[in-house]
Amino acid sequence: MRCGCRRGGSGSARAPASCDDIAELEWHAAQLRTAQTVHLPGLLHTDGYARAAFGALLPELSRLEVELRVAHRMERQRVLDRERPLPYVGYVHEAALRMQFVGRQVTQGQLRHLCEQSEREHIDIRVIPVSHGAFPGAGHGPEVLT
């Protein structure tokens, strides 16, 4: 099922309602754990990486839909910056670190950002090496809000 843009009360375009749902759950969560095998964690995206990831969705999104989702993704990141930031643990498969959706510059910028974010006290990023083989949850990307 494809989520489309919806219009706000003032007639301005907005991200899909499903985006609001996850943002609301994140905002009220006590902690957040994610597991990513192909993409890097959304709450740690740069705008360039998010734009590339949304631009690769099928069916293809319009430029407006991509930009709305990028803006929403950047807004969601406030849970990591608020006065009492959300404790975050992200399990990232090594393959996700190596995946390039766009040019080298965007990928390098994203990896630098991920390293910087991992230095923050409330953010814990754990890499699952390719050599590990199969692992619980392989092939799934659950987000657990508690």
Side-chain angles (χ1 to χ4, degrees), residues 46-50 52 102-112:
T46 61
D47 60 346
Y49 185 90
V102 290
R104 188 178 212 98
Q105 186 176 11
V106 171
T107 301
Q108 287 175 343
Q110 175 61 57
L111 293 175
R112 272 192 302 279

Side-chain angles (χ1 to χ4, degrees), residues 26-34 43 79-82 84-90 120-124 144-146:
E26 287 169 346
W27 191 259
H28 294 288
Q31 64 178 332
L32 179 62
R33 291 188 187 131
T34 64
L43 289 176
V79 299
L80 300 175
D81 297 325
R82 63 189 184 191
R84 296 178 68 185
L86 181 68
Y88 177 84
V89 177
R120 299 172 72 185
E121 186 176 314
H122 63 286
I123 296 176
D124 185 10
V144 180
L145 306 169
T146 59

Side-chain angles (χ1 to χ4, degrees), residues 5-18:
C5 291
R6 60 189 173 102
R7 299 261 173 209
S10 65
S12 60
R14 295 188 49 195
S18 60

Side-chain angles (χ1 to χ4, degrees), residues 3-68:
C3 296
C5 291
R6 60 189 173 102
R7 299 261 173 209
S10 65
S12 60
R14 295 188 49 195
S18 60
C19 295
D20 289 340
D21 294 343
I22 190 70
E24 182 75 14
L25 290 170
E26 287 169 346
W27 191 259
H28 294 288
Q31 64 178 332
L32 179 62
R33 291 188 187 131
T34 64
Q36 309 295 325
T37 56
V38 177
H39 294 96
L40 298 176
L43 289 176
L44 302 176
H45 281 179
T46 61
D47 60 346
Y49 185 90
R51 190 170 288 107
F54 287 128
L57 289 177
L58 292 174
E60 189 175 329
L61 300 175
S62 72
R63 188 176 309 159
L64 174 61
E65 288 173 315
V66 169
E67 291 306 317
L68 290 170

